[in-house]
Amino acid sequence: MPISTLIIEDESNLAQAIARFLSRRGFDPAIAASVEEGWKLFQEVAPHITVVDQKLPDGNGLNLLQRIRQSDPDAVVLLITAYGNVTDAVEAMKHGAFDYIQKPLDMEQLLALLTRAAERIRLRQEVTYYRERDTSQFLGNSPPIRKVIEEIEKLVETAERDLPTVLLTGETGTGKGMIARLLHRKSARSEGPFLEINCTALPASLVESELFGFDRGAFTDARQPKPGLFEAAEGGTLFLDEIGDFPLQLQGKLLKVLENKTVRRLGSLRDRPVDVWIIAATSRDLEALVSQNQFRADLHFRLKIVTLHLPPLRERKEDILLLAEHFLAMNARRYRRPLVGFSPEAKETLLSYRWPGNVRELAHVVEQAVLLTRGERISKEDLRIDGGSLREDVHRVNPGKDGEEWKKLLDRFLEAHWTLPDLEKALIERALVRTGGNCSRAARLLGITRDILRYRIEKHRIRYRETF
Ligand SMILES: Nc1ncnc2c1ncn2[C@@H]1O[C@H](COP(=O)(O)OP(=O)(O)OP(=O)(O)O)[C@@H](O)[C@H]1O
């Protein structure tokens, strides 16, 4: 990519010479001869680099530098100053010039400066590219996901640095971690650190020392003072994953940090101010935990002020194929498989499956299928999931007579994290026991053909003795 360069210089011979010199070295120069012409061209061309002579017929290059930097704080501007004019050089740097160069111009020195500026621009573009790419990876076109993205935009725009605590809710694998990172990247804190702690993974004593840090002598092993994650995330974001598992005895201390924006290390008497944005996530029902006295109501109240909910994948079917195609393309590239898509039956299966593990499960299923598939399209069988026919079977069992009991029973399965295949296996086993191992009768009981039953018996590795 040639670096577009605007040269604002009224000595026409000099301007031409610079332009010729630069165009031979991969730059793309344009010339203006006055402040006004330069300003106009700057707005039209939006050059990567602007080289401004300090003395121009209709004004001062320094003022133009300020105008340019005000309109685009990232603009890279180089000022040409008169020989020995240190004051202007200092002023130029104060107003954000990339650098300055003195007359008479040394072309090689100019080239060295411009090359350095071009490097910085390329680096910045790369960083932006990666940021944008990262951000765009959070895919979803369903109304609830679009709403979440909109809310994120509004939040980071209106709250700037003083961001309220955000609570992310949703089942496991719905993308809460991704959203936490996205929030951080889009916020004014994006240059600061992003740290995370999973509250499930650590015992209470460790959570306390990890988060709050400790002073020397706080406990036997504390030979050196250690700042906790609240302090380490200064100026950035701290993501508390699975906040529902946050130790009850420490919840009051956490609430105090949120309210006072200060943290006290273990063994210390001093409160230290911290500037950290807290994002918390939970896949558990905090309300229920509060009513069971496992979570403090005041902390819950404080956390839930801004809540973003990520619905389970089965409730946003519009996203399933979009995500599946994305994971397919990604893995096909990664494993160098010449795959072009999913068969129509495979698509139907993807759409009817319950996805208890949500997007994470979908990503794994597609990755595995990419590795298994021999053809150019992923077939239903390659997916190795059951396309929801059990759900139909379950509905065929007449629940009408005892609706409430039936719902309660289903809720219990869901709370115990039973998956559809688990339920299917148990139902088949029960049917076989009740029919004394008679496959045909069990199949009739389950509302499926004998062949399908045999296939599923094999799939679940159910051991039984067949009778007729
Ligand atoms: N909208 C999305 N677009 C692309 N990938 C996604 C999306 N949502 C989730 N994923 C993928 O699914 C995986 C799980 O996401 P993530 O870890 O953010 O979920 P989570 O809700 O935090 O899960 P847990 O509660 O188990 O920590 C990630 O590795 C990510 O690749």
Side-chain angles (χ1 to χ4, degrees):
M1 173 194 65
I3 297 283
S4 56
T5 313
L6 173 60
I7 301 150
I8 311 175
E9 167 61 67
D10 60 323
E11 284 177 48
S12 125
N13 284 346
L14 178 61
Q16 300 285 350
I18 299 175
R20 266 200 312 275
F21 177 78
L22 291 181
S23 63
R24 275 193 235 117
R25 284 159 181 86
F27 290 84
D28 176 20
I31 297 174
S34 66
V35 168
E36 276 324 301
E37 197 190 340
W39 174 240
K40 228 174 103 206
L41 216 58
F42 175 83
Q43 287 170 302
E44 271 170 31
V45 182
H48 289 112
I49 306 174
T50 311
V51 183
V52 187
D53 189 0
Q54 188 255 320
K55 243 176 89 191
L56 289 162
D58 57 342
N60 192 321
L62 262 176
N63 296 340
L64 181 56
L65 161 72
Q66 286 176 48
R67 203 150 133 198
I68 289 175
R69 298 267 310 167
Q70 264 162 19
S71 83
D72 175 9
D74 286 336
V76 177
V77 186
L78 216 88
L79 201 78
I80 306 178
T81 61
Y83 178 69
N85 190 340
V86 181
T87 324
D88 278 348
V90 172
E91 278 299 299
M93 297 309 280
K94 244 176 37 198
H95 288 109
F98 177 73
D99 214 327
Y100 67 94
I101 183 165
Q102 293 190 338
K103 276 189 182 173
L105 278 192
D106 172 347
M107 288 296 192
E108 289 305 326
Q109 192 193 353
L110 178 67
L111 180 64
L113 284 180
L114 290 180
T115 309
R116 193 153 57 80
E119 259 167 33
R120 184 202 283 187
I121 288 161
R122 283 205 186 97
L123 198 69
R124 201 192 284 156
Q125 276 174 345
E126 237 167 69
V127 171
T128 318
Y129 166 75
Y130 279 115
R131 273 203 192 140
E132 279 169 4
R133 215 176 56 134
D134 240 15
T135 314
S136 68
Q137 273 189 341
F138 188 82
L139 301 170
N141 208 15
S142 58
I145 291 298
R146 286 218 298 263
K147 195 166 146 249
V148 166
I149 299 284
E150 245 170 55
E151 280 169 3
I152 289 176
E153 302 282 352
K154 258 192 275 169
L155 183 71
V156 292
E157 238 170 59
T158 46
E160 292 252 313
R161 280 194 74 79
D162 199 16
L163 290 150
T165 305
V166 174
L167 179 65
L168 305 172
T169 59
E171 289 179 8
T172 180
T174 45
K176 300 182 297 295
M178 264 189 118
I179 287 288
R181 274 174 220 105
L182 183 69
L183 276 165
H184 171 75
R185 272 202 310 274
K186 284 191 165 253
S187 77
R189 296 173 168 268
S190 59
E191 301 295 329
F194 176 90
L195 302 179
E196 60 179 288
I197 180 169
N198 185 320
C199 307
T200 313
L202 298 170
S205 58
L206 258 181
V207 171
E208 187 169 25
S209 65
E210 279 291 307
L211 276 180
F212 298 90
F214 49 81
D215 265 357
R216 195 183 348 203
F219 43 88
T220 329
D221 288 341
R223 295 202 182 88
Q224 293 297 327
K226 185 175 171 261
L229 289 177
F230 283 117
E231 285 178 69
E234 177 68 25
T237 306
L238 181 60
F239 174 42
L240 304 173
D241 201 3
E242 290 305 347
I243 191 78
D245 292 330
F246 198 85
L248 191 56
Q249 67 269 37
L250 296 178
Q251 289 179 10
K253 225 172 150 176
L254 173 61
L255 183 62
K256 239 166 124 185
V257 178
L258 297 180
E259 279 174 347
N260 306 340
K261 297 196 185 313
T262 58
V263 64
R264 185 179 290 192
R265 290 182 186 176
L266 276 161
S268 169
L269 296 174
R270 187 156 73 87
D271 289 332
R272 295 161 201 262
V274 281
D275 170 28
V276 176
W277 183 23
I278 304 292
I279 302 178
T282 181
S283 56
R284 302 181 68 183
D285 180 355
L286 289 189
E287 210 114 2
L289 291 177
V290 169
S291 63
Q292 292 156 16
N293 293 326
Q294 286 178 38
F295 203 86
R296 282 178 68 135
D298 46 6
L299 178 60
H300 178 225
F301 191 73
R302 174 84 210 193
L303 287 172
K304 70 171 187 182
I305 300 172
V306 178
T307 301
L308 298 177
H309 178 64
L310 290 165
L313 194 55
R314 64 186 164 280
E315 284 174 20
R316 43 181 166 116
K317 295 207 182 250
E318 301 95 317
D319 292 341
I320 294 179
L321 292 183
L322 180 84
L323 286 160
E325 304 274 2
H326 165 72
F327 295 132
L328 175 100
M330 207 169 84
N331 288 297
R333 253 196 323 273
R334 181 169 164 203
Y335 297 114
R336 294 168 199 272
R337 299 280 159 133
L339 282 163
V340 294
F342 297 92
S343 73
E345 297 76 31
K347 284 186 185 169
E348 252 171 56
T349 305
L350 288 170
L351 287 170
S352 56
Y353 183 57
R354 197 177 161 271
W355 298 113
N358 293 294
V359 187
R360 183 181 292 116
E361 185 185 6
L362 174 63
H364 288 160
V365 163
V366 175
E367 181 178 357
Q368 199 184 35
V370 166
L371 288 167
L372 289 175
T373 306
R374 288 289 155 253
E376 60 172 16
R377 275 177 203 283
I378 291 179
S379 70
K380 180 177 177 214
E381 289 70 33
D382 295 328
L383 291 172
R384 310 261 164 130
I385 49 171
D386 193 295
S389 46
L390 176 67
R391 201 165 27 172
E392 288 152 28
D393 296 349
V394 166
H395 283 301
R396 218 167 287 150
V397 177
N398 184 1
K401 280 188 194 153
D402 209 355
E404 276 318 302
E405 278 304 303
W406 174 246
K407 271 190 230 158
K408 268 190 216 154
L409 181 68
L410 291 179
D411 279 340
R412 274 175 55 202
F413 281 127
L414 295 177
E415 274 148 21
H417 297 292
W418 270 54
T419 63
L420 218 47
D422 291 340
L423 202 57
E424 181 181 75
K425 185 176 178 197
L427 205 61
I428 291 172
E429 281 172 344
R430 193 69 207 141
L432 286 168
V433 169
R434 284 186 58 167
T435 57
N438 185 319
C439 230
S440 304
R441 279 177 48 215
R444 259 201 311 281
L445 199 60
L446 291 164
I448 52 178
T449 65
R450 193 170 174 277
D451 281 345
I452 290 179
L453 178 60
R454 306 253 352 189
Y455 163 72
R456 291 187 186 170
I457 287 171
E458 256 181 61
K459 192 179 92 175
H460 292 299
R461 295 171 203 269
I462 296 172
R463 286 202 287 170
Y464 79 108
R465 225 159 36 87
E466 188 162 4
T467 57
F468 294 96

